[in-house]
Amino acid sequence: MFFYILLVIVVLVLLLFSYRYPNAEKTISLILLTILVLIGGFRDRIGCDYDNYVDWYIRGSRDDNFEFGFLGIMKVFRYLNLDYHFLFFFFSFFNYILVYLGIKKYTDKINLPLVLFVFIPVLFIFSLNGIRQSLSVAISFFAMSYLLNKKYISFILLMSIGISIHYSCLLPFVVFFLVFKFGSFIKTRELYLLIVVSFLIGQIGVIYWLSLFFKNSHYLFYVSDKFTVPVPLAKLIVMNLMGLIVISFYEKHGFQYDQQKNLLLVYISSIFFLNLFSESIDLTRLYIYFRIFEIILVAEIIRSSIENRKLWLIGFICCFYILPFFRAIKIDSEGVNSTLIPYRNYLFRENLDKY
């Protein structure tokens, strides 16, 4: 736990320093990026799938019928006879560098969104678990900026890479296109209705119908009543409340640039999918592709709230990020098979046990 408390203190100090000295914005952002790469890229046996990936990499135990992009990278690494630690570093490095570059595409003020990225467990802390989907999320986040600038070939190429690494990237590929094509016809107030309706449908349940659809597929695991664990109702309510606050803010203050509305629509898609699939935590992992855009939108709300001294809103946002961060760490530390605590880094181990 101490390591993650120290991480929070460091990133907040760096954020305050960049706020106090605006000219240091870029330097601080590079320091934050370096911290993410050092933590994620050089982790040692961190993440519930770590040993599975090591076994897969060394023995090729799951090479058949899998995403060709990920397999291609592993085969190149094997051919070069690289240690499996290079695999984790490779994916972590490009994960965080693409998030960083994506943020730069959407805003000139990099540090606050980057800090919010750190505080959302499903984006940073839990990215130490699943390396494939995390990279696909980063790729899609970066790729969306090309679609908004009508650079269709670059967008399609990037999303194709994301899909080749994790098939779930197909969902944002479709949603991004729909938002880009029809987003201008959607009114902000209609998003309230979307949230309410999706919440009600999720409470009624869709898992049964999905289990029929995936009856003969290996995806049945994610929608089977025997294995599904629902999203806690408290989390669901808080997530929906944040969505309503974000909509309300931009409805009141308007959009400062054209792409901002599209980012809002993509972010609200995360609430939609979270609500819709709330019967299964595993299935709601799809919402990560859309929630990452929250770091851009909420950062703007925080800056506005500070300028206008809206203390209640600042307080709510602080609790929204800090409490789940430490709750995730606490839950992991109390687990039978803890995957994040204690944190271990390959660079700082004197004797690394061989696999």
Side-chain angles (χ1 to χ4, degrees):
M1 178 68 80
F2 172 76
F3 172 82
Y4 293 101
I5 293 175
L6 180 62
L7 173 63
V8 168
I9 293 173
V10 169
V11 298
L12 288 179
V13 168
L14 288 171
L15 178 63
L16 291 174
F17 190 87
S18 67
Y19 182 79
R20 178 67 178 81
Y21 302 99
N23 292 333
E25 175 85 14
K26 183 177 180 180
T27 302
I28 297 299
S29 69
L30 291 174
I31 294 174
L32 287 170
L33 174 61
T34 302
I35 290 173
L36 298 187
V37 171
L38 289 175
I39 291 174
F42 295 99
R43 65 191 183 277
D44 178 39
R45 303 194 188 285
I46 298 294
C48 57
D49 288 333
Y50 189 95
D51 288 335
N52 292 332
Y53 277 113
V54 173
D55 181 77
W56 184 359
Y57 179 71
I58 294 175
R59 298 184 175 88
S61 56
R62 297 175 62 191
D63 279 6
D64 295 332
N65 299 319
F66 224 86
E67 285 91 335
F68 67 89
F70 181 71
L71 290 178
I73 293 172
M74 286 209 302
K75 288 180 179 179
V76 170
F77 277 42
R78 289 173 187 158
Y79 178 78
L80 296 174
N81 199 29
L82 296 175
D83 185 83
Y84 64 83
H85 288 97
F86 283 95
L87 182 71
F88 291 99
F89 176 80
F90 177 88
F91 275 84
S92 293
F93 175 80
F94 282 101
N95 181 0
Y96 306 128
I97 196 70
L98 286 172
V99 169
Y100 176 83
L101 294 175
I103 292 172
K104 288 186 67 176
K105 290 281 188 178
Y106 300 116
T107 178
D108 295 329
K109 300 176 180 179
I110 308 169
N111 292 325
L112 183 51
L114 203 54
V115 169
L116 294 181
F117 174 83
V118 173
F119 273 107
I120 299 177
V122 75
L123 293 181
F124 176 61
I125 294 297
F126 291 158
S127 73
L128 303 184
N129 288 334
I131 62 175
R132 292 188 303 115
Q133 186 179 14
S134 296
L135 181 57
S136 290
V137 170
I139 291 172
S140 65
F141 177 66
F142 180 63
M144 180 61 172
S145 65
Y146 286 95
L147 178 61
L148 295 177
N149 289 307
K150 300 181 179 180
K151 297 180 179 180
Y152 304 115
I153 295 178
S154 297
F155 171 75
I156 292 173
L157 287 175
L158 284 168
M159 293 301 290
S160 297
I161 294 173
I163 294 168
S164 76
I165 293 173
H166 204 284
Y167 288 145
S168 63
C169 198
L170 274 167
L171 181 62
F173 184 75
V174 173
V175 173
F176 290 173
F177 258 123
L178 291 176
V179 167
F180 178 74
K181 185 69 176 178
F182 303 107
S184 59
F185 300 104
I186 300 175
K187 297 180 180 179
T188 308
R189 62 174 177 269
E190 293 172 346
L191 298 178
Y192 294 112
L193 181 61
L194 181 65
I195 287 181
V196 173
V197 171
S198 63
F199 181 85
L200 294 176
I201 293 175
Q203 295 307 300
I204 295 172
V206 298
I207 291 297
Y208 171 74
W209 303 106
L210 288 174
S211 65
L212 296 178
F213 182 78
F214 292 113
K215 186 175 181 179
N216 298 316
S217 168
H218 69 275
Y219 293 108
L220 181 63
F221 172 83
Y222 296 105
V223 294
S224 173
D225 291 334
K226 296 180 180 179
F227 303 105
T228 55
V229 177
V231 177
L233 183 60
K235 174 183 176 179
L236 206 58
I237 291 174
V238 172
M239 290 294 297
N240 278 267
L241 180 57
M242 175 56 85
L244 295 174
I245 289 175
V246 173
I247 296 171
S248 176
F249 174 86
Y250 285 98
E251 185 180 39
K252 180 179 179 181
H253 294 85
F255 301 105
Q256 298 181 6
Y257 43 90
D258 294 337
Q259 67 184 25
Q260 212 167 33
K261 182 180 180 181
N262 287 325
L263 298 185
L264 174 63
L265 295 176
V266 170
Y267 162 65
I268 295 302
S269 298
S270 73
I271 308 296
F272 172 79
F273 288 112
L274 180 67
N275 286 339
L276 203 62
F277 302 135
S278 58
E279 292 174 278
S280 171
I281 288 180
D282 285 328
L283 201 57
T284 57
R285 289 190 303 176
L286 294 170
Y287 96 115
I288 305 171
Y289 285 102
F290 312 103
R291 188 182 177 186
I292 191 172
F293 291 90
E294 173 188 303
I295 64 178
I296 306 297
L297 297 167
V298 173
E300 189 64 37
I301 295 176
I302 292 174
R303 284 190 283 265
S304 175
S305 299
I306 292 175
E307 292 176 0
N308 295 294
R309 298 183 180 180
K310 293 184 177 180
L311 299 181
W312 71 270
L313 186 53
I314 296 173
F316 174 80
I317 292 175
C318 287
C319 292
F320 180 80
Y321 288 106
I322 294 176
L323 295 181
F325 180 88
F326 284 107
R327 180 177 179 273
I329 300 302
K330 183 175 183 295
I331 290 175
D332 183 81
S333 66
E334 295 174 348
V336 177
N337 297 312
S338 178
T339 62
L340 300 173
I341 297 176
Y343 176 80
R344 298 171 297 276
N345 193 291
Y346 174 64
L347 293 179
F348 305 108
R349 291 193 59 183
E350 294 181 359
N351 297 307
L352 179 65
D353 297 330
K354 292 185 178 180
Y355 180 78

